[in-house]
Amino acid sequence: MADCGGSKTMENVAEKEVPKTAEEKVNKAAAVVGKEAGSTEATECEGAIGGMRDPSIRKEAEDSDEEDSDEEDYDDEDYDESDGEDREGFMTMLQSFLMSKLDLSKDADIPKVLDEVTVEAVVKYIKSGECKSIITMAGAGISTSAGIPDFRTPGSGLYSNLEKYNLPFPEAIFDIEFFKTNPQPFFVLAKELYPGAFNPTPSHWFVRLLHDKGLLLRHYTQNIDTLEHVAGLPAEKTVEAHGTFRTSHCIACRKEYSQEWMKEEIFKDSIPTCSECSGLVKPDIVFFRENLPPRFFHCVQSDFPKCDLLIILGTSLTVQPFASLIDNVPPSCPRLLINREKTGSVDPVMAILHGIFTGGLALDSPNNKRDVALLGDCDDGCKTFAEMLGWKEDLEKLVATKK
């Protein structure tokens, strides 16, 4: 996986004098990451439906930097006013995260919320009434039982089954520059995966149940299948980090189109084009080299300081900046992982700050005071957790709902 220019940044940090205060550390670290965030390398971490691009593509880009320098003018031409807002939101989120990590003087005062780092202790915490603002973070793993493939599973994952599209590399199907030159592969795939052909899984209904119980602060998802909406979760409770099929825009003039219009175009096997300027029209899902939606950054800044329980569902926690959200909750906030395997123990983007701090889940750390894993199938984990909470019948009723 691409390191987003981490080695260069680590050398820079190591060579410079370490700031004496937490605030100075934050400013220096944010400046380093901010500089990288403006580079081509950093944008590989953004707008990543399904993950990073092939590292070999990054090397080719580095080798051709000088040759392509005259072609970079498209950045100015294609500049969107929201770009500056997106970067400002990212930097604010980063600074908040760094301050929480680097203000080490307060570590001894962090309250212990869980009696022990077990699923039973998380259940007890929720039942106590002290847990009132739960954030859920979801990946492709909550939708696989609906028949939607994840991205990386060898053999069955989406990226393993794209040979018929004759792509230069698998991730090209979600690359905005490739889309501009050859949009057909994406729209053929979109027809196969179009929302409406699948039903919510028990994992989606569990998130809906948290909302019904008045405990859900917000649901953050990497998925573009809209199954949260099918399950009846209100739009204001959902943050679709990688965009949505519910709206579409012309990539040239930004004219908006409805989901119904886009669906009709896709299912008649045509390439959607703008009625105003004849430009390509793309669903508002985030491709590689595109910015995440501004609402993502706004909600992160508002929600995560309030979170008193983070539940991570069916995600490999490899796509940035989504993966680093687990470190934006308060230091005392318990974090429950419901997943097939342990994940999130290392934060690859934040590793560029070499030696300043360690991010990620502390599931195997002897100093772990808040991180718990419920390993196995995601749907089974949600069912088990609901039963332990005394919500078994409530969840079963929702799962039986016909939409």
Side-chain angles (χ1 to χ4, degrees):
M1 183 173 63
D3 66 0
C4 300
S7 59
K8 179 174 66 175
T9 305
M10 286 190 285
E11 291 173 4
N12 291 343
V13 173
E15 292 171 0
K16 297 181 180 180
E17 181 182 356
V18 177
K20 296 180 180 180
T21 68
E23 184 174 0
E24 288 173 342
K25 290 179 181 179
V26 170
N27 292 335
K28 174 170 283 191
V32 171
V33 176
K35 181 178 179 181
E36 295 297 321
S39 68
T40 302
E41 294 167 336
T43 54
E44 291 179 1
C45 298
E46 300 174 358
I49 291 189
M52 303 289 194
R53 278 184 286 148
D54 188 334
S56 65
I57 304 303
R58 179 169 171 256
K59 185 179 187 303
E60 292 173 10
E62 291 172 348
D63 293 340
S64 61
D65 275 348
E66 288 190 15
E67 298 175 10
D68 295 343
S69 60
D70 293 336
E71 300 178 4
E72 292 180 354
D73 291 342
Y74 75 85
D75 288 339
D76 294 330
E77 296 172 4
D78 295 343
Y79 178 75
D80 190 303
E81 290 182 0
S82 64
D83 290 353
E85 187 177 3
D86 293 341
R87 176 164 176 164
E88 182 180 354
F90 173 75
M91 291 302 295
T92 302
M93 181 180 76
L94 176 64
Q95 287 176 328
S96 297
F97 166 72
L98 291 173
M99 182 59 76
S100 69
K101 287 294 176 184
L102 296 173
D103 194 0
L104 302 178
S105 62
K106 297 181 180 179
D107 281 357
D109 299 328
I110 297 175
K112 183 178 179 181
V113 175
L114 301 179
D115 294 337
E116 54 185 1
V117 284
T118 64
V119 178
E120 290 78 8
V122 177
V123 170
K124 180 181 177 182
Y125 173 50
I126 294 175
K127 286 183 173 182
S128 71
E130 296 178 6
C131 178
K132 301 175 181 178
S133 299
I134 297 176
I135 289 178
T136 51
M137 290 174 55
I142 74 168
S143 296
T144 52
S145 66
I148 302 173
D150 63 13
F151 289 89
R152 294 179 186 78
T153 300
S156 63
L158 180 63
Y159 288 154
S160 296
N161 294 278
L162 295 177
E163 294 86 356
K164 61 184 177 181
Y165 298 110
N166 297 316
L167 302 169
F169 53 97
E171 294 88 344
I173 203 163
F174 293 123
D175 186 287
I176 188 60
E177 297 304 320
F178 181 82
F179 175 84
K180 290 175 181 177
T181 60
N182 184 10
Q184 186 174 13
F186 167 75
F187 285 114
V188 173
L189 178 65
K191 184 177 180 179
E192 296 179 14
L193 300 179
Y194 199 84
F198 305 96
N199 295 314
T201 68
S203 299
H204 293 100
W205 290 115
F206 175 73
V207 176
R208 160 71 187 277
L209 183 57
L210 289 173
H211 168 66
D212 291 351
K213 297 289 184 181
L215 298 174
L216 184 68
L217 174 59
R218 201 90 63 188
H219 174 64
Y220 287 74
T221 180
Q222 295 171 278
N223 302 332
I224 57 173
D225 52 40
T226 72
L227 289 182
E228 292 86 2
H229 299 283
V230 179
L233 193 65
E236 65 270 16
K237 285 290 183 178
T238 305
V239 174
E240 293 160 312
H242 292 163
T244 178
F245 268 99
R246 289 183 292 118
T247 56
S248 301
H249 283 84
C250 171
I251 64 174
C253 72
R254 303 305 298 163
K255 177 179 173 61
E256 183 172 326
Y257 291 84
S258 68
Q259 182 175 9
E260 292 73 22
W261 181 90
M262 176 57 72
K263 181 177 181 180
E264 182 179 348
E265 293 295 304
I266 289 176
F267 278 82
K268 67 182 184 183
D269 298 322
S270 65
I271 302 299
T273 55
C274 180
S275 59
E276 296 289 334
C277 71
S278 300
L280 289 170
V281 179
K282 181 180 77 65
D284 291 338
I285 59 176
V286 182
F287 278 22
F288 290 104
R289 295 193 265 188
E290 286 192 303
N291 292 325
L292 271 64
R295 184 170 181 266
F296 169 81
F297 295 106
H298 296 161
C299 288
V300 166
Q301 294 169 36
S302 172
D303 293 344
F304 276 76
K306 306 173 187 174
C307 180
D308 52 24
L309 175 62
L310 180 66
I311 301 179
I312 306 155
L313 301 159
T315 173
S316 60
L317 291 176
T318 58
V319 180
Q320 299 293 347
F322 188 89
S324 61
L325 293 184
I326 62 174
D327 291 302
N328 279 45
V329 296
S332 62
C333 176
R335 302 181 293 190
L336 172 65
L337 173 70
I338 302 179
N339 200 48
R340 285 188 178 276
E341 57 189 5
K342 291 181 181 179
T343 187
S345 58
V346 177
D347 188 342
V349 165
M350 296 311 175
I352 64 175
L353 299 176
H354 186 57
I356 296 181
F357 67 89
T358 301
L361 300 177
L363 293 169
D364 297 318
S365 170
N367 298 319
N368 179 23
K369 297 179 180 179
R370 59 170 177 160
D371 295 335
V372 179
L374 178 54
L375 301 181
D377 178 83
C378 196
D379 290 342
D380 290 342
C382 288
K383 291 176 183 177
T384 298
F385 194 50
E387 184 173 1
M388 295 174 70
L389 286 163
W391 301 348
K392 179 180 179 180
E393 292 185 3
D394 296 331
L395 181 59
E396 289 176 345
K397 288 179 182 178
L398 286 176
V399 171
T401 302
K402 302 297 182 182
K403 291 289 181 181

